[in-house]
Amino acid sequence: QLSLDLIRQFARRGASELVFEATRKPSPIVRRQRVEYFGFELSRESEPVLAWGDDLALGARVRALLGDGLARSEARHVAVPRNQPLIEEIRALWRRSGGDGTVPRLGHSELAAWYTAQLADVDDLDAFRRARLQLPREHFIDDAVAERLRALPRTVEIHGTEVTIDYDVETTDEGASFGVARLRLPEKLARSLWDDELPTLDRPLRFMVTRGQRGAIRAATLAELLEKLELPYTDDELERLRREEASRHAAAAARVDGRDRGGRGAHADRELSRTEQAFERGPPRKRRGGRPPWKKGRR
């Protein structure tokens, strides 16, 4: 039996990695390193990074992690809640613009890159906390463009019902962006609509019907929407079923790996078919009425 001291003598330290942990004190940037002995992990060491000084490689990685944490609204900095209303306004205007380039997209990658660039002169954690990091409104939004985009209609009247319009941006197979207007239709109204009754807007129409906690049904055309309304599942439920089915397949593949297909493997395949059967049956229906005839009179 090998002594612990001998094992530690021949153990190897793995390459260190930097990670971002928002709740870690005193610093959200942590350097991790694993100590292994022939594939077995003996320990994992963590060290907070408080300063990076003139180390260019370390500084670049730390600033990228901090910029990503700020963009995810996970970093503890006063700029995160202060900038959020402006970020949401810019993204809403971008969706209204149809991605025509008049308003920046300011997605996660763009926002993280902006934050990282603002941290170029920051070389320790105290300087990071003191950094102003306020988004300049005039750098992202032109007042004339913003006024034009805000003038777009928020609702449209169909059969006497005010229908909300959600603006969004879609991308073609070639990578070109174009704007769409998504109508949030009540299901009863959607089932009674015809194509010639749809409003005419400055961009293609898309359609959505919500079904409470069950999620929403989305379609690119009215015909597709009417077809989906007859299905037993919403789009969100279908996506959840696909994830569950993929998880079942992965679990079954792990169980049958190296085993006889006639044993537990066949049982696993039978388990997988239950998802497909549930999809064909649709959601369970509640039984209506009183007691079954064969139980009447019994107590």
Side-chain angles (χ1 to χ4, degrees):
Q1 183 177 357
L2 297 177
S3 65
L4 185 57
D5 292 338
L6 186 60
I7 291 176
R8 287 176 176 172
Q9 179 181 351
F10 290 94
R12 295 183 177 181
R13 293 180 178 271
S16 63
E17 62 173 349
L18 290 177
V19 295
F20 178 86
E21 297 182 1
T23 58
R24 178 64 70 96
K25 295 180 180 180
S27 172
I29 304 298
V30 180
R31 190 198 305 271
R32 285 181 179 173
Q33 193 171 32
R34 299 171 59 184
V35 180
E36 299 179 345
Y37 178 77
F38 287 96
F40 293 94
E41 182 177 318
L42 301 180
S43 63
R44 182 177 299 181
E45 300 175 354
S46 299
E47 177 188 3
V49 178
L50 301 176
W52 41 98
D54 297 331
D55 190 333
L56 298 180
L58 176 62
R61 287 186 293 167
V62 170
R63 294 183 188 98
L65 287 173
L66 291 174
D68 185 77
L70 289 165
R72 295 181 185 276
S73 299
E74 296 176 356
R76 293 182 175 181
H77 195 284
V78 294
V80 172
R82 184 177 58 198
N83 289 336
Q84 196 58 38
L86 179 57
I87 293 172
E88 293 176 359
E89 180 186 2
I90 294 171
R91 290 172 176 173
L93 291 175
W94 175 77
R95 290 191 294 269
R96 284 175 169 256
S97 72
D100 60 2
T102 56
V103 179
R105 184 172 183 265
L106 203 60
H108 171 77
S109 58
E110 293 86 358
L111 185 58
W114 185 87
Y115 275 127
T116 302
Q118 305 309 304
L119 300 174
D121 297 329
V122 172
D123 56 5
D124 58 42
L125 193 62
D126 290 335
F128 165 71
R129 290 168 177 163
R130 294 194 305 267
R132 194 160 178 263
L133 300 179
Q134 183 172 357
L135 282 171
R137 180 187 182 87
E138 63 278 1
H139 179 73
F140 295 98
I141 301 178
D142 179 77
D143 290 338
V145 173
E147 184 178 357
R148 174 178 61 83
L149 294 175
R150 292 194 191 97
L152 292 174
R154 298 176 181 270
T155 61
V156 63
E157 184 175 338
I158 304 176
H159 287 191
T161 301
E162 289 291 327
V163 176
T164 301
I165 303 174
D166 291 336
Y167 294 93
D168 206 348
V169 179
E170 295 184 358
T171 306
T172 64
D173 296 337
E174 292 75 21
S177 299
F178 63 97
V180 297
R182 183 172 291 104
L183 303 181
R184 287 178 170 265
L185 296 167
E187 184 167 349
K188 183 177 180 180
L189 176 61
R191 290 181 178 273
S192 64
L193 272 181
W194 295 86
D195 285 325
D196 56 0
E197 297 173 324
L198 295 175
T200 301
L201 300 178
D202 64 340
R203 61 197 69 196
L205 296 179
R206 299 291 184 264
F207 307 90
M208 180 169 66
V209 171
T210 58
R211 286 180 171 174
Q213 294 182 352
R214 295 183 57 195
I217 298 174
R218 303 170 185 84
T221 64
L222 183 58
E224 181 186 1
L225 178 67
L226 294 176
E227 182 179 348
K228 283 187 171 183
L229 288 175
E230 300 301 325
L231 298 177
Y233 291 98
T234 66
D235 291 349
D236 296 333
E237 289 172 327
L238 285 174
E239 182 60 30
R240 185 165 59 250
L241 278 175
R242 293 189 186 100
R243 290 197 301 267
E244 292 175 356
E245 185 177 3
S247 177
R248 286 177 180 268
H249 274 289
R255 288 196 298 266
V256 302
D257 186 20
R259 299 178 183 175
D260 182 11
R261 292 290 298 178
R264 292 184 62 185
H267 173 72
D269 288 342
R270 288 195 297 271
E271 290 291 330
L272 286 175
S273 65
R274 294 183 181 180
T275 300
E276 300 171 357
Q277 295 171 7
F279 178 81
E280 295 295 335
R281 288 195 304 266
R285 299 180 180 273
K286 294 183 179 179
R287 188 177 64 191
R288 297 182 179 179
R291 293 165 59 86
W294 61 87
K295 289 189 176 181
K296 286 185 178 180
R298 299 182 183 180
R299 296 291 180 184

